[in-house]
């Protein structure tokens, strides 16, 4: 049976949800001069990225298999839905803690976190190397448990990386 969830309009009649379309997203990406959407985060973020890829018809060779590197990058062609030829990149990088630990994990071999049980694939070089405008969507999930000081320090480091990239533009 399908595991797709849909908003029940009869429960929340004052809060209607309109399902986005590829043409609408392409129009807004073009209008905002964005040419990349980059998701960086844990498995929840991966689910969001895959859902968007599926909505855009770009879910081929995207895997939820834990034995496969989950990262992906797809080119979304918006023609003929937009007035001029336009496309954008949709990417996902698995990184449970938004940190760059200096090593690259592989399926079954996590490389970050207190007990080295989380996955932190490098993301900042991909973000910095893109010369266009990027919509960056990030999430760490609940990978910090009760270590709020660690979370705050790590988030400050993350924001610092973003600031460094902006300063070099």
């Amino acid at each position: 049976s399908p595991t797709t969830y849909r908003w029940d309009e009869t429960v929340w009649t004052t809060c209607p949800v309109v399902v986005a379309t590829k043409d609408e997203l392409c129009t807004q990406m073009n209008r905002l001069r964005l040419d990349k959407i980059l998701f960086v985060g844990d498995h929840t973020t991966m689910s969001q990225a895959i859902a968007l890829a599926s909505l855009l018809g770009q879910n081929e060779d995207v895997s939820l298999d834990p034995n496969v590197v989950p990262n992906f990058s797809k080119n979304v062609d918006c023609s003929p839905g937009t007035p001029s030829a336009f496309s954008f990149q949709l990417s996902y990088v698995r990184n449970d803690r938004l940190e760059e630990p200096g090593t690259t994990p592989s399926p079954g071999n996590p490389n970050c976190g207190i007990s080295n049980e989380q996955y932190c694939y490098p993301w900042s070089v991909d973000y910095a190397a893109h010369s266009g405008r990027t919509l960056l969507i990030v999430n760490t999930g609940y990978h910090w448990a009760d270590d709020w000081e660690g979370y705050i320090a790590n988030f400050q480091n993350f924001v610092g990386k973003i600031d460094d990239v902006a300063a070099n533009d």
Side-chain angles (χ1 to χ4, degrees):
S1 69
T3 58
T4 303
Y5 297 94
R6 304 236 3 127
W7 186 260
D8 185 349
E9 298 284 344
T10 62
V11 174
W12 304 101
T13 56
T14 60
C15 189
V17 172
V18 177
V19 177
T21 66
K22 179 180 176 182
D23 286 347
E24 290 167 344
L25 181 59
C26 286
T27 297
Q28 294 306 317
M29 291 289 290
N30 193 18
R31 185 180 72 78
L32 296 169
R33 297 186 327 264
L34 292 168
D35 55 7
K36 183 173 186 175
I37 299 174
L38 174 58
F39 287 87
V40 178
D42 66 355
H43 64 283
T44 301
T45 309
M46 178 176 65
S47 296
Q48 294 168 344
I50 290 173
L52 183 57
S54 296
L55 177 77
L56 299 171
Q58 298 293 320
N59 58 351
E60 186 175 324
D61 299 323
V62 173
S63 178
L64 292 170
D65 184 342
N67 298 311
V68 175
V69 175
N71 306 341
F72 66 84
S73 186
K74 302 289 186 173
N75 189 58
V76 179
D77 182 13
C78 292
S79 303
T82 53
S84 57
F86 176 75
S87 65
F88 67 90
Q89 186 178 10
L90 172 64
S91 300
Y92 167 73
V93 177
R94 172 81 186 255
N95 193 301
D96 296 343
R97 296 168 67 95
L98 303 180
E99 64 185 33
E100 302 277 350
T103 63
T104 301
S106 60
N109 294 298
N111 68 324
C112 67
I114 293 171
S115 57
N116 212 38
E117 295 177 353
Q118 295 156 354
Y119 291 91
C120 292
Y121 288 91
W123 64 270
S124 63
V125 171
D126 181 42
Y127 177 70
H130 184 70
S131 61
R133 293 178 59 155
T134 301
L135 173 60
L136 179 61
I137 302 168
V138 299
N139 172 43
T140 65
Y142 189 70
H143 297 285
W144 292 92
D146 293 328
D147 181 13
W148 293 111
E149 290 178 11
Y151 172 79
I152 290 167
N154 192 40
F155 190 77
Q156 289 171 336
N157 288 335
F158 167 76
V159 171
K161 284 187 187 299
I162 299 299
D163 289 345
D164 289 344
V165 170
N168 292 323
D169 273 351

